[in-house]
């Protein structure tokens, strides 16, 4: 297939810089107000005139943007390309090389909060669409651009957009959202570049643990204080709380890695792909990301109790963040946590929950299209399925859409991945160019 010749606009780094300069921090709307978000929407209209001239824009809730690009066939199931334009807060005590909302451009990089999560991925979608519109390209089927402004705070805009499409009887043929990236050596035995495409997504569960105890002076504490009871409950939720199991997506991932490996590494990878129980044990022993791929994780993220250094608090609480493995459920996870805590005086309350996604297939035309777009934009990278450990807005589509994939077409080093929600977030300009090519290729090769 020959792709349509397209003239690519210059200035993408500067456009991303302007996006980053708007502090669209969804967790700080109460203090910052909604002006940065409205200014961002206005900025998009300024930066992408053809997108706004030729595509239909519908505001879904205050923070949802849904663009419809009418295709040749109105009856064909559409494609949905997703991203979000809100970002997480910045800890004022962190030492950034460049101010997080300055959008600095230096030595081939664009720096700032949102460069990777998720304004960079949003930019490359719009760059590709704007360039194709300039070339008078019309997609063979409808294309929707779904952009949410509160993904980092559960994603109510994406919920509304997904619900709107479903109520209209629109079932997407393909959904692509943020997720994996192009990485080097993603596993100890897997060398080379890999485009990690999330075919499934772990569930999200936030639990609140609370208890009451005897208050009073700290000079005469009882045997078990409220704080001590909560601390004991957290301590009982060790990494072995949940049984490890290898989902089919990880087995497929290992098989792909094995096909391109040689010698001892190939033997190891083929063995892991053949024996999922062995894989679960080995990944668990490796800890970190490998362990998170094969089991539900639990992390205490907040703890509260007490009003003064010399006063015993009568109430203590903690917040737990869990990522539920594919094949498990919210209800089963809550039961497991309660059993492990083994304390009827600790109340367990669900604050937020989302079931794990089903796995999208890798033997279909949709995954083949993604692989073809990867081959065009990152020729040295192999397209590899895996399980997404973090939550994305696409989870609101996977209940009714058969092919949902999570992949941001940007190259990310280990240090860059660590900067997401962290310090010194940045994206390479060359990667933005490849990301635009990925989406342009994907759209041009639609059938």
């Amino acid at each position: 297939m020959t792709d349509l010749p397209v003239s690519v606009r210059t200035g993408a780094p500067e456009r991303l810089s302007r996006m980053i300069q708007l502090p669209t921090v969804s967790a700080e709307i109460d203090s910052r107000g909604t002006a940065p978000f409205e200014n961002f929407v206005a900025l998009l209209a300024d930066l992408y005139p053809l997108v706004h001239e030729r595509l239909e824009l519908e505001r879904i809730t205050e923070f949802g943007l849904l663009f419809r690009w009418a295709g040749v066939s109105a009856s064909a199931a559409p494609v949905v390309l997703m991203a979000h334009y809100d970002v997480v807060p910045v800890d004022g005590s962190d030492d950034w090389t460049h101010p997080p909302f300055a959008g600095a451009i230096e030595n081939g990089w664009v720096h700032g909060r949102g460069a990777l999560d998720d304004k960079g991925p949003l930019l490359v979608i719009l760059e590709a669409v704007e360039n194709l519109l300039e070339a008078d390209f019309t997609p063979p089927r409808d294309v929707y651009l779904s952009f949410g402004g509160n993904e980092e705070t559960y994603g109510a805009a994406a919920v509304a957009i997904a619900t709107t499409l479903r109520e209209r009887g629109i079932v997407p043929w393909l959904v692509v959202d943020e997720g994996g990236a192009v990485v080097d050596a993603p596993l100890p035995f897997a060398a080379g570049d890999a485009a990690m495409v999330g075919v499934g997504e772990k569930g999200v569960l936030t639990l609140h643990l609370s208890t009451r105890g005897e208050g009073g002076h700290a000079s005469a504490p009882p045997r078990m204080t409220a704080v001590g009871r909560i601390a004991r409950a957290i301590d009982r939720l060790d990494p072995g709380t949940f049984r490890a199991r290898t989902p089919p997506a990880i087995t497929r991932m290992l098989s792909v890695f094995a096909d391109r490996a040689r010698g001892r590494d190939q033997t190891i990878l083929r063995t892991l792909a053949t024996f999922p129980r062995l894989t679960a044990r080995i990944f668990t022993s490796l800890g970190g990301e490998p362990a998170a791929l094969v089991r539900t994780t639990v992390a205490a993220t907040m703890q509260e109790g007490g009003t003064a250094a010399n006063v015993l608090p009568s109430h203590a609480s903690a917040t737990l963040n869990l990522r539920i493995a594919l094949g498990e459920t919210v209800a089963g996870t809550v039961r497991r946590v309660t059993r492990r805590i083994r304390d009827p005086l600790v109340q367990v309350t669900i604050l937020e929950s989302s079931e794990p996604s089903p796995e999208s297939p890798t033997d279909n035309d949709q995954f083949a299209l993604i692989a073809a777009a990867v081959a065009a934009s990152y020729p040295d990278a192999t397209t590899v399925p895996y399980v997404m450990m973090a939550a994305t807005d696409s989870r609101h589509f996977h209940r009714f859409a058969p092919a949902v994939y999570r992949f941001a077409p940007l190259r990310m080093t280990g240090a860059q991945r660590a900067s997401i929600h962290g310090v010194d977030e940045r994206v390479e300009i060359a990667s933005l160019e490849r990301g635009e090519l990925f989406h342009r290729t994907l759209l041009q090769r639609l059938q």
Side-chain angles (χ1 to χ4, degrees):
M1 180 182 299
T2 302
D3 295 332
L4 176 73
V6 173
S7 177
V8 177
R9 294 195 307 165
T10 60
E14 289 75 18
R15 287 187 283 276
L16 179 57
S17 172
R18 293 180 65 184
M19 292 183 188
I20 291 171
Q21 290 171 39
L22 294 174
T24 50
V25 184
S26 51
E28 296 177 351
I29 286 179
D30 289 344
S31 59
R32 292 182 182 270
T34 60
F37 295 83
E38 290 303 322
N39 290 340
F40 188 89
V41 175
L43 176 64
L44 293 186
D46 179 50
L47 298 181
Y48 300 98
L50 293 181
V51 169
H52 286 76
E53 175 186 329
R54 302 186 192 177
L55 274 62
E56 303 169 12
L57 171 58
E58 186 176 0
R59 297 290 295 266
I60 308 289
T61 75
E62 189 176 6
F63 299 102
L65 307 176
L66 183 63
F67 293 87
R68 175 179 173 265
W69 189 3
V72 174
S73 172
S75 61
V79 169
V80 178
L81 302 180
M82 302 182 67
H84 64 89
Y85 59 94
D86 64 319
V87 299
V88 296
V90 173
D91 187 332
S93 65
D94 288 335
D95 184 20
W96 286 62
T97 303
H98 301 278
F101 294 110
I105 302 174
E106 183 178 80
N107 298 326
W109 295 77
V110 182
H111 300 257
R113 176 62 84 221
L116 295 173
D117 184 20
D118 190 39
K119 291 178 178 178
L122 183 148
L123 172 123
V124 296
I125 293 172
L126 287 170
E127 292 291 320
V129 173
E130 187 81 7
N131 290 331
L132 287 169
L133 288 170
E134 181 64 37
D136 292 323
F137 173 79
T138 301
R141 59 179 75 220
D142 284 2
V143 174
Y144 286 91
L145 312 182
S146 172
F147 301 148
N150 47 23
E151 189 271 350
E152 300 291 0
T153 54
Y154 185 69
V159 173
I161 290 172
T163 300
T164 297
L165 293 181
R166 189 173 189 177
E167 289 176 347
R168 293 173 182 172
I170 298 171
V171 179
W173 180 76
L174 168 66
V175 177
V176 180
D177 195 7
E178 64 170 334
V182 178
V183 302
D184 177 49
L187 289 174
F189 317 115
D193 286 347
M196 305 300 295
V197 178
V199 298
E201 182 174 311
K202 297 179 78 173
V204 178
L205 176 62
T206 303
L207 295 177
H208 184 256
L209 308 184
S210 62
T211 191
R212 303 200 69 85
E214 297 180 26
H217 201 283
S219 63
R223 181 177 179 183
M224 179 63 71
T225 66
V227 170
R229 191 175 294 278
I230 288 294
R232 185 179 68 179
I234 294 172
D235 187 60
R236 286 173 173 172
L237 299 173
D238 58 34
T241 297
F242 297 95
R243 184 169 67 90
R245 67 181 77 186
T246 305
I250 300 304
T251 297
R252 295 201 298 271
M253 176 188 78
L254 293 167
S255 295
V256 172
F257 284 140
D259 288 341
R260 70 175 191 178
R262 296 290 182 271
R264 172 179 169 273
D265 287 349
Q266 185 178 63
T267 301
I268 292 173
L269 290 164
R270 288 210 185 283
T271 301
L272 293 174
T274 305
F275 300 101
R277 290 184 180 179
L278 174 64
T279 300
R281 290 199 298 271
I282 291 176
F283 275 34
T284 297
S285 68
L286 291 172
E289 288 188 359
L293 288 172
V294 296
R295 70 180 177 200
T296 295
T297 59
V298 54
T301 55
M302 293 187 289
Q303 191 165 353
E304 190 174 5
T307 58
N310 62 345
V311 177
L312 294 173
S314 59
H315 178 267
S317 66
T319 301
L320 306 179
N321 184 267
L322 298 95
R323 302 303 167 114
I324 305 173
L326 274 64
E328 299 183 8
T329 65
V330 169
T333 301
V334 174
R335 286 195 299 270
R336 182 66 174 165
V337 166
T338 304
R339 284 199 299 266
R340 290 285 293 210
I341 290 174
R342 302 192 310 276
D343 190 339
L345 296 181
V346 175
Q347 182 178 1
V348 180
T349 305
I350 298 175
L351 299 182
E352 173 195 352
S353 66
S354 178
E355 299 285 356
S357 78
E359 289 189 31
S360 295
T362 57
D363 58 352
N364 56 1
D365 291 340
Q366 293 93 323
F367 194 81
L369 176 62
I370 291 173
V374 168
S377 52
Y378 294 92
D380 296 330
T382 302
T383 304
V384 182
Y386 88 116
V387 174
M388 180 79 181
M389 290 174 283
T392 70
D393 273 344
S394 68
R395 70 187 186 276
H396 307 301
F397 282 83
H398 67 221
R399 300 299 172 200
F400 68 100
V404 179
Y405 302 95
R406 300 147 182 92
F407 176 65
L410 302 176
R411 183 183 297 279
M412 298 186 196
T413 64
Q416 283 177 280
R417 296 198 300 277
S419 75
I420 295 174
H421 290 208
V423 177
D424 279 348
E425 188 175 348
R426 63 205 180 279
V427 64
E428 193 172 13
I429 292 173
S431 185
L432 294 175
E433 295 168 354
R434 290 175 179 264
E436 184 276 338
L437 178 57
F438 169 88
H439 281 296
R440 179 157 41 93
T441 302
L442 184 144
L443 290 167
Q444 286 191 286
R445 298 188 185 181
L446 281 174
Q447 297 294 315

